Amino acid sequence: MPEGKLCNRKPIETEEELKTLLSDTGGKKYYEEMKSLDVDSGLLWKTIGNTLKSRTKTWLEICAHCGMCADSCFLYLANDCDPKQVPAYKIQSTLGEIVKRKGQVDNEFMHMVMETAWAKCTCCNRCGMYCPHGIDMGVMFSYLRGLCYQQGFVPWELKIGAGMHRVYRAQMDVTDEDFVETFKWMVEENEEDYPGLEVPIDKEGADILYTVNAREVKHYPEDLAEAAILFHLAGENWTVTSTGWEQTSLAMFAGDWAACKMQVESVYEAMERLKPKRMIGTECGHAHRATVVEGPYWAGRSNGKPPVESIHYVEWLAEALREGKLKIDPAKRIKKKVTLQDSCNYVRNHGLKDITREIMSYIVDPGYFIELSPNREHNYCCGGGGGFNGIGLFRPQRNKGLITKRDQIIESGAELVIAPCHNCWDAIRDLEEEYKIGIKWSFLKPIIISMVEIPEHLKPEE
Amino acid sequence: MFKKILFATSATEASDHAARVAFNMAQAYDASICIFHVLGVPTRGFSQIVMDVKTKEKVEIDDEYIAWVKEEIKVYYSKQLEKAKSYNINYDIKVAVGFPHREILREARNYSPDLIVLGGSTGDDEDSVYKKSMVGSTLQRVAKAAPCPLLVVNRPAASFWGGISQIVFGTDFSKASDAAFKFSVNLAKDLDCELHIFHALDISNMHMGRLLTQDEIESQIRESLRRIRGRYIGELKEIKDYSFDVWEGLPYVEIVKYAREKHADLIVMAHHTQKTSNEDARLGSNIEQVIVRAGCPVISINK
Ligand code: SF4
Ligand code: SF4
Ligand code: SF4
């Protein structure tokens, strides 16, 4: 029977429900209710019957328990090689069991599954590269999260996050008006330094449609200003949309597939309405994965692609620097030891490994760029992916999970970590707060702004 | 001149001097005052947790917490608020969550004040993680983008009890300085006080390390005095008393010394909006150095 008032199998549909859940500080009552939330085994088994892909089934069956994936998981390493952190074990003891028991699992079991799905895997997809059979826990855990979500066993913040997307089509309570108004404000704030700076809204047929992360609007609108400035200096014909501007998807982290679809469709609608040549998203890894890599499947697009060509910010930036649309003042290039955090979400899922290094070659003085080891598609997750960063309940586990990245950075000797991904940026920020290793961290945009040459005709007079 | 004052405060001792000035101004000008406090800085990704800037604790923000913080502020300023009530001054207490500079600017945009009074920060968190994550202090960032004059009180402004009788306007002959000049003149007229126009000839590093000869310095001083006469003096007809001077040295040091000599109650200067490189921003512009050192309130004007 019991479904709680706050913790239940129903998704958030209205602003009021969202507020009610938010007012349950820290999810106290929510998690209390979760303790007596029943598992709807019938629904669970039926869902599995309908949605478990044959690939996943095969993966579960063919795993040889060889353990070769163990070392590949940063959480296994950060937790002193705890056997319970071996990727194969994590999935076999959760999804594997549920399938074996045909959905007949109880509340206590689902609590364990929830913790495993959100606190023991960030869906970074690294293990999949090391398994001789190509078994990818990241993919399976994403699927498992969907089952958890359907049953109501989802961390409080992510139930809220998914609800935000359902209510606002954004990961935070930022409305379309807020978005447009904030962008305009940022342009006003900077137009003296950059005469002619503007933010074209809902312009049809522009070369670039720019999409963002709602957090930029809410807390760091400087990021919007920086994006506008760089497009301006590069002489781009760009626009933003007044609706469907949010590229991220906490719904993806939550396993709320219906909300994923709603969210990404709002962006695709904007593409179809404005018909830009290309869509460029902000410096966010999971946003790119959600909108460009996975989104087309959620939205049921047969060609597996978004309505218009969609690229990550780093791809645009590399191109602008390569083609000389943006010119770097060589004297202002970075002259301290700097490294790069590869975001799993676009390095493993979208192959963007060389392009970021190309950017480094333009902005760092020769000899100062250091690679983390391992790097590129072999890089470890920052430690906070897949929603891990924001879940209060699993904070201790998350802090432990940062250790792998911390040690990688210390070993590199870098003073500055460039993280062109919101989640990675957050995790590295928290890592500094937690372990105080004396590093700085940054997105690319502010760094580029500090060293870009302003073309003569765009300079302020005086 | 001032109908609405936005007082951005930490609601701690660090803002006490600023509070005195803000409430005095409100009283003198019969202005409404909005007491604005940014209570917490967001942390933990997209979660609801913020760091309370006063207690330095991680807290989860809900309506109850916000109400509690407002009540604390009310208690902290109870004396001033009582007085304000007796003078029929409208006031409002607002709190927000976010990065202080951004939220102050956001509120300034909403409230459209004629003056922002910025209190001191809580000080000891200079190297806290949120500050490290962006270049420049709250002061620098607000000063750069404020839509109206920004008044900052860094050190006890003892003379301010009795209002303003001496204003020092520091100029570097820029366009922004012209705006600051206009403002100084209006204020001097309004308050019926003396205005001292000052320019410091920067002999620190302007000449590529070459030392200027005394003759060169003196001729440049004469030139600056000419510029002051040409540019400003004509506008001073309605000012009862004024003076103007040019000294040479390190500008922010000289202006602080000059203000002391003139017993200034207020310094008015322009904040330059030109893009500064990161290094410069850290060092702070001239006016920021003045703010840190001046013994009286400083008003920064950027447009
Ligand atoms: S996807 Fe990443 S976090 Fe998850 S088990 Fe594999 S390596 Fe570990
Ligand atoms: S490496 Fe592959 S086959 Fe071996 S235990 Fe891990 S998942 Fe199973
Ligand atoms: S947060 Fe960054 S490093 Fe971690 S999984 Fe996401 S993209 Fe990868």
Side-chain angles (χ1 to χ4, degrees):
Chain A
M1 185 273 323
E3 275 194 78
K5 254 186 76 192
L6 301 172
C7 183
N8 48 45
R9 288 187 281 276
K10 289 184 292 289
I12 301 276
E13 303 283 6
T14 64
E15 192 165 8
E16 205 192 323
E17 289 169 5
L18 190 57
K19 291 218 166 110
T20 311
L21 187 55
L22 261 170
S23 68
D24 173 31
T25 308
K28 257 209 199 97
K29 193 156 161 251
Y30 176 86
Y31 286 124
E32 205 40 55
E33 288 181 3
M34 192 183 281
K35 289 189 189 146
S36 46
L37 177 65
D38 278 346
V39 181
D40 185 341
S41 294
L43 177 67
L44 183 56
W45 188 236
K46 198 174 131 217
T47 309
I48 291 175
N50 290 338
T51 57
L52 188 75
K53 289 203 181 106
S54 56
R55 180 178 71 170
T56 313
K57 219 161 132 197
T58 315
W59 276 351
L60 286 172
E61 284 158 8
I62 61 169
C63 170
H65 305 280
C66 66
M68 279 172 72
C69 51
D71 286 338
S72 69
C73 178
F74 76 99
L75 281 164
Y76 173 79
L77 298 177
N79 287 283
D80 313 312
C81 305
D82 178 353
K84 292 206 156 141
Q85 288 279 3
V86 174
Y89 175 82
K90 288 187 275 198
I91 201 72
Q92 291 292 348
S93 61
T94 52
L95 182 60
E97 273 300 301
I98 295 175
V99 173
K100 226 185 265 161
R101 298 196 211 166
K102 301 195 167 28
Q104 295 299 322
V105 292
D106 60 9
N107 177 291
E108 197 189 332
F109 186 87
M110 285 306 284
H111 268 86
M112 182 277 286
V113 173
M114 177 174 89
E115 175 163 357
T116 311
W118 277 282
K120 294 187 175 176
C121 180
T122 61
C123 303
C124 78
N125 303 99
R126 191 169 188 273
C127 49
M129 288 194 333
Y130 293 86
C131 166
H133 300 288
I135 299 176
D136 190 330
M137 308 309 153
V139 171
M140 289 199 274
F141 271 110
S142 292
Y143 175 68
L144 180 59
R145 287 178 178 195
L147 299 178
C148 290
Y149 182 86
Q150 188 196 48
Q151 295 291 330
F153 290 89
V154 55
W156 179 70
E157 289 87 348
L158 287 173
K159 179 101 184 199
I160 292 170
M164 290 280 183
H165 285 288
R166 286 168 172 269
V167 174
Y168 297 104
R169 294 293 183 275
Q171 63 157 277
M172 293 182 128
D173 50 347
V174 176
T175 63
D176 289 351
E177 292 73 40
D178 293 340
F179 169 70
V180 171
E181 152 68 15
T182 307
F183 226 131
K184 284 188 179 158
W185 171 31
M186 283 303 105
V187 164
E188 274 168 39
E189 209 177 277
N190 287 278
E191 65 195 354
E192 260 174 68
D193 291 357
Y194 301 94
L197 185 68
E198 53 169 359
V199 52
I201 292 157
D202 289 331
K203 178 174 173 181
E204 279 179 36
D207 293 340
I208 294 169
L209 168 65
Y210 182 60
T211 56
V212 309
N213 177 329
R215 271 181 49 210
E216 296 165 0
V217 187
K218 183 130 178 150
H219 292 311
Y220 326 102
E222 282 85 354
D223 201 289
L224 305 179
E226 288 157 0
I229 290 166
L230 290 173
F231 285 142
H232 170 70
L233 295 179
E236 294 284 15
N237 169 13
W238 68 292
T239 189
V240 295
T241 168
S242 58
T243 170
W245 44 268
E246 166 70 283
Q247 200 199 4
T248 72
S249 183
L250 295 185
M252 174 171 84
F253 291 161
D256 182 350
W257 308 128
C260 286
K261 185 169 186 292
M262 291 177 205
Q263 179 61 48
V264 81
E265 280 177 345
S266 76
V267 184
Y268 292 169
E269 272 160 31
M271 293 182 188
E272 267 152 5
R273 178 166 46 86
L274 299 175
K275 300 183 185 55
K277 291 212 180 75
R278 296 193 290 186
M279 189 279 280
I280 295 173
T282 186
E283 292 176 64
C284 188
H286 93 270
H288 185 76
R289 177 168 177 175
T291 308
V292 184
V293 184
E294 311 229 9
Y297 299 98
W298 301 335
R301 296 185 59 84
S302 51
N303 65 354
K305 284 183 182 155
V308 302
E309 183 192 356
S310 298
I311 61 176
H312 190 272
Y313 197 79
V314 295
E315 297 181 89
W316 174 77
L317 190 58
E319 174 192 288
L321 290 166
R322 188 186 317 129
E323 293 176 1
K325 286 188 209 166
L326 291 174
K327 284 201 187 67
I328 298 295
D329 177 349
K332 291 189 181 158
R333 284 195 299 217
I334 300 173
K335 285 181 204 52
K336 57 179 161 194
K337 288 188 186 163
V338 51
T339 191
L340 170 75
Q341 160 65 6
D342 285 298
S343 155
C344 318
N345 278 319
Y346 58 77
V347 81
R348 269 192 283 284
N349 281 297
H350 211 68
L352 300 182
K353 55 183 176 186
D354 294 328
I355 212 119
T356 39
R357 280 155 185 89
E358 184 186 349
I359 296 172
M360 294 301 127
S361 77
Y362 301 131
I363 66 172
V364 182
D365 242 22
Y368 289 96
F369 177 66
I370 336 172
E371 290 282 6
L372 292 178
S373 160
N375 56 59
R376 298 177 192 238
E377 69 270 38
H378 296 285
N379 192 29
Y380 291 116
C381 170
C382 58
F388 210 2
N389 271 338
I391 303 171
L393 185 64
F394 300 140
R395 195 62 170 182
Q397 291 94 314
R398 203 293 311 255
N399 284 347
K400 195 125 201 244
L402 296 172
I403 290 176
T404 311
K405 186 58 58 186
R406 176 197 70 187
D407 294 347
Q408 238 188 325
I409 296 172
I410 293 177
E411 196 199 335
S412 79
E415 298 162 55
L416 171 68
V417 182
I418 295 182
C421 165
H422 270 269
N423 261 309
C424 303
W425 188 97
D426 275 336
I428 291 163
R429 174 207 167 281
D430 287 357
L431 181 161
E432 178 60 28
E433 182 176 76
E434 195 60 30
Y435 299 108
K436 308 215 170 15
I437 62 170
I439 49 161
K440 299 208 170 210
W441 59 98
S442 180
F443 289 113
L444 279 165
K445 292 184 202 97
I447 292 181
I448 304 290
I449 299 239
S450 73
M451 56 178 70
V452 71
E453 284 180 359
I454 301 181
E456 222 31 69
H457 68 284
L458 296 179
K459 279 188 180 153
E461 42 180 310
E462 190 154 10
Chain B
M1 234 178 135
F2 307 112
K3 286 286 145 225
K4 281 160 130 192
I5 295 173
L6 176 62
F7 171 40
T9 177
S10 55
T12 59
E13 255 178 57
S15 293
D16 283 357
H17 306 305
R20 199 164 65 210
V21 176
F23 283 102
N24 274 340
M25 293 287 258
Q27 203 176 304
Y29 280 95
D30 209 8
S32 312
I33 181 165
C34 173
I35 302 160
F36 184 69
H37 174 62
V38 180
L39 71 89
V41 178
T43 165
R44 300 198 182 180
F46 52 85
S47 75
Q48 309 301 321
I49 297 176
V50 306
M51 188 188 77
D52 187 310
V53 292
K54 272 168 75 180
T55 60
K56 305 283 182 301
E57 269 166 26
K58 297 254 164 83
V59 292
E60 299 208 27
I61 298 295
D62 52 22
D63 293 348
E64 214 174 296
Y65 194 82
I66 287 177
W68 176 74
V69 172
K70 278 192 181 171
E71 195 48 42
E72 290 268 287
I73 295 173
K74 212 166 171 178
V75 171
Y76 193 83
Y77 291 124
S78 55
K79 266 202 198 127
Q80 289 94 326
L81 292 175
E82 248 165 61
K83 201 165 161 217
K85 250 190 238 155
S86 70
Y87 281 89
N88 273 328
I89 289 167
N90 283 328
Y91 71 87
D92 195 8
I93 299 175
K94 276 197 186 170
V95 297
V97 172
F99 293 97
H101 73 280
R102 187 44 59 203
E103 296 315 311
I104 293 167
L105 290 168
R106 202 190 299 269
E107 185 56 25
R109 197 169 153 87
N110 285 336
Y111 183 66
S112 0
D114 309 297
L115 182 72
I116 301 174
V117 178
L118 187 64
S121 85
T122 31
D124 51 13
D125 51 359
E126 272 314 314
D127 59 2
S128 78
V129 165
Y130 90 83
K131 290 217 167 146
K132 269 172 86 178
S133 63
M134 31 185 82
V135 180
S137 62
T138 302
L139 164 65
Q140 283 171 340
R141 294 174 154 249
V142 175
K144 182 173 188 307
C148 65
L150 170 72
L151 187 150
V152 187
V153 192
N154 196 59
R155 298 176 55 199
S159 60
F160 206 79
W161 286 108
I164 301 175
S165 62
Q166 308 288 331
I167 298 175
V168 163
F169 157 60
T171 179
D172 60 2
F173 303 114
S174 61
K175 242 167 106 187
S177 283
D178 288 348
F181 172 68
K182 249 196 210 123
F183 176 83
S184 310
V185 173
N186 286 339
L187 197 63
K189 258 195 259 174
D190 216 49
L191 297 171
D192 197 23
C193 58
E194 271 183 62
L195 179 63
H196 307 281
I197 301 174
F198 180 75
H199 173 71
L201 188 65
D202 189 352
I203 54 166
S204 55
N205 59 4
M206 263 172 67
H207 303 278
M208 308 288 167
R210 184 176 70 87
L211 282 178
L212 292 175
T213 66
Q214 195 54 30
D215 280 352
E216 279 173 309
I217 292 177
E218 279 169 19
S219 98
Q220 287 196 22
I221 288 182
R222 275 195 300 279
E223 170 57 26
S224 299
L225 286 166
R226 249 198 306 279
R227 285 178 83 179
I228 291 180
R229 269 190 224 100
R231 205 152 169 163
Y232 302 129
I233 301 303
E235 318 272 320
L236 294 177
K237 292 189 195 79
E238 288 168 63
I239 304 290
K240 156 181 90 169
D241 269 310
Y242 62 83
S243 67
F244 55 94
D245 291 278
V246 177
W247 292 1
E248 82 272 17
L250 202 56
Y252 61 80
V253 175
E254 296 308 311
I255 189 162
V256 171
K257 285 201 299 204
Y258 181 78
R260 208 184 306 139
E261 193 181 292
K262 295 289 177 191
H263 303 287
D265 309 298
L266 185 68
I267 299 173
V268 181
M269 285 175 76
H271 182 281
H272 281 280
T273 56
Q274 272 98 23
K275 191 176 106 158
T276 45
S277 76
N278 291 356
E279 289 303 318
D280 294 344
R282 207 164 309 132
L283 274 175
S285 68
N286 232 338
I287 185 165
E288 281 144 18
Q289 294 296 331
V290 171
I291 287 167
V292 177
R293 293 172 164 79
C296 66
V298 178
I299 288 189
S300 150
I301 309 248
N302 66 20
K303 41 179 82 100

